[in-house]
Amino acid sequence: MSKAPNEVDFYRTRDIIVGVPSEDVATHDPLNPHLSVGHRPPIVNGVPLFNQIQIQTIEFCNLKCDFCPNHYLIWDRLDNKKKGIPHKVMSIENYTKIVKNLADLNFTGRISPYLMNEPLMDKDRMVELIGITREHLPESPIKINTNGTGLTTKLLGDMIDAGLTSIQVDDYFDDKHAERLYKQLKPFEGVNGKCFITLNSNYNVNQVKKRNQKVTEPHFGPFTYWNRAGLTNVNPDMPVPQKDCVWPTNHMVIKHDGDVLLCCCDWEYKVVHGNVFTDRIEEVWTNASFQHYRDTLKQGRRDKLRMCRKCNKGSFNNEADRLENLKVWMEKKSIGESVSETI
């Protein structure tokens, strides 16, 4: 029986910081730069406001990654596309309404115009959406994560000029694909004056080929990867921890129709706390539904909450502890060799 491989060989991941706004902020967290500059959220109705918000401007992603619930949700959306039914989108008017509400709340945290989608599927409007965000929220970091399949140097430049301050480009294919992506990013390499740019590669990913294809092989990644509230087979060695989760306390996610979901794991839209098109953001954020989840999580009782009861996010606090657990898990499952060969 082989031992668990080391982190580099096992995970096949690579993170490259391509560009930074300036040398003095080069050590900030490029994923959440607002957390590096002493951000303190305002208090609304006695509850601290979230420090991050994601807004789904279009309901579609073009990839079928096995670690993501989109691999089984995409098929109906592809069928609709073949029938001429357009992807569901949030109107510019409603997006602007959300941003203006945030401005009224003196929000200065991170805003991301994407959620459970590929943001550049909305590339014809993305520059405009970023510009609207920057107009009304001049101090907020604006960040997107993209698989890069729709990214060009010109589009990136236009988004940066409109106000984008951070972009994470995720490469799920191979080194050749990463090289192509890097060419698009290269003009903004080093100190570029405006934007954090990272290129993240994850080569444990398989693309699901057909509808109803069962994903039988587990997807392994660092301890920061998780199973999307039990919707995917990611890091099955990591148990569901009966402890708090900060997302319902610091993170709001809004889908294209204004519904506010539990978190970015809720791909099936199972837990809806309210709607920001019918109520104001602060009313939804401080309502009884949201507070129930926060209070229950603080008690360490994920088992009492829908979605949370199957979620293994936060199972371990560091990679060393997780790897020790992984070795034991592999030995119990008697799959040490097969897992190593698979990934």
Side-chain angles (χ1 to χ4, degrees):
M1 179 83 59
S2 67
K3 294 183 179 179
N6 65 49
E7 180 179 344
V8 176
D9 293 339
F10 192 49
Y11 300 142
R12 299 168 65 206
T13 60
R14 176 181 60 228
D15 300 331
I16 301 173
I17 297 180
V18 178
V20 295
S22 61
E23 291 182 357
D24 65 313
V25 297
T27 58
H28 288 182
D29 178 359
L31 302 183
N32 302 291
H34 63 287
L35 299 181
S36 301
V37 293
H39 172 75
R40 293 292 181 272
I43 307 297
V44 292
N45 299 334
V47 178
L49 193 64
F50 46 86
N51 57 33
Q52 303 178 57
I53 184 170
Q54 290 183 256
I55 304 170
Q56 184 187 64
T57 70
I58 188 169
E59 188 191 49
F60 191 72
C61 177
N62 58 323
L63 297 187
K64 310 176 189 72
C65 304
D66 60 354
F67 71 87
C68 175
N70 193 62
H71 79 260
Y72 63 83
L73 294 171
I74 191 174
W75 303 101
D76 287 342
R77 296 167 187 174
L78 288 174
D79 287 346
N80 287 339
K81 184 178 180 181
K82 291 177 182 178
K83 296 174 184 177
I85 302 173
H87 300 312
K88 296 175 182 178
V89 299
M90 181 181 291
S91 69
I92 294 293
E93 179 183 8
N94 280 330
Y95 183 88
T96 304
K97 177 182 178 181
I98 292 172
V99 171
K100 286 183 175 180
N101 192 164
L102 291 170
D104 292 341
L105 294 170
N106 298 314
F107 178 75
T108 59
R110 187 187 104 185
I111 182 166
S112 293
Y114 76 95
L115 171 69
M116 298 184 291
N117 68 354
E118 166 46 47
L120 298 188
M121 296 305 297
D122 204 3
K123 63 182 179 182
D124 292 339
R125 303 191 305 162
M126 188 51 62
V127 173
E128 180 181 6
L129 293 165
I130 292 171
I132 292 169
T133 308
R134 178 55 66 230
E135 176 185 356
H136 296 285
L137 298 169
E139 297 182 24
S140 286
I142 303 172
K143 179 182 185 293
I144 64 171
N145 286 34
T146 173
N147 60 42
T149 54
L151 186 65
T152 64
T153 298
K154 182 182 185 308
L155 178 57
L156 178 55
D158 289 344
M159 290 192 295
I160 291 174
D161 289 342
L164 185 70
T165 55
S166 182
I167 181 170
Q168 176 178 319
V169 183
D170 294 315
D171 158 38
Y172 299 127
F173 295 100
D174 51 38
D175 286 338
K176 288 185 178 180
H177 183 69
E179 290 172 2
R180 289 194 293 269
L181 290 172
Y182 195 86
K183 287 181 180 178
Q184 302 297 328
L185 305 176
K186 190 171 177 59
F188 307 95
E189 189 177 29
V191 179
N192 57 46
K194 293 183 178 180
C195 190
F196 284 101
I197 301 172
T198 59
L199 176 58
N200 295 25
S201 297
N202 179 351
Y203 298 153
N204 277 357
V205 180
N206 293 307
Q207 296 296 313
V208 174
K209 302 298 183 182
K210 57 185 179 180
R211 188 193 295 266
N212 298 325
Q213 176 182 335
K214 291 185 178 181
V215 178
T216 57
E217 295 295 338
H219 180 99
F220 289 97
F223 78 104
T224 52
Y225 287 28
W226 71 101
N227 65 5
R228 301 298 195 276
L231 297 180
T232 59
N233 190 16
V234 176
N235 286 349
D237 61 292
M238 291 172 38
V240 175
Q242 294 303 319
K243 63 181 182 181
D244 195 6
C245 176
V246 298
W247 276 3
T249 299
N250 67 17
H251 199 175
M252 176 175 267
V253 297
I254 304 173
K255 63 190 284 268
H256 62 88
D257 60 2
D259 279 352
V260 177
L261 304 175
L262 170 61
C263 69
C264 62
C265 297
D266 196 358
W267 282 75
E268 296 181 358
Y269 311 151
K270 292 181 178 179
V271 180
V272 178
H273 291 305
N275 187 286
V276 295
F277 295 164
T278 58
D279 296 302
R280 287 183 61 82
I281 287 173
E282 60 269 32
E283 293 172 351
V284 177
W285 181 246
T286 59
N287 69 20
S289 177
F290 244 132
Q291 199 57 46
H292 170 67
Y293 267 78
R294 294 186 194 111
D295 291 343
T296 306
L297 286 168
K298 286 178 182 177
Q299 296 169 12
R301 297 304 303 270
R302 294 192 188 189
D303 58 309
K304 291 186 174 184
L305 298 172
R306 190 174 190 183
M307 297 293 293
C308 304
R309 63 172 61 103
K310 296 182 179 180
C311 189
N312 65 0
K313 180 176 174 59
S315 185
F316 293 97
N317 295 323
N318 57 72
E319 195 60 50
D321 289 346
R322 186 282 172 97
L323 287 174
E324 285 301 314
N325 178 78
L326 179 60
K327 292 176 184 177
V328 174
W329 183 86
M330 292 172 70
E331 290 170 358
K332 288 182 177 179
K333 295 291 183 178
S334 299
I335 60 171
E337 287 291 345
S338 61
V339 169
S340 300
E341 293 171 0
T342 300
I343 61 176

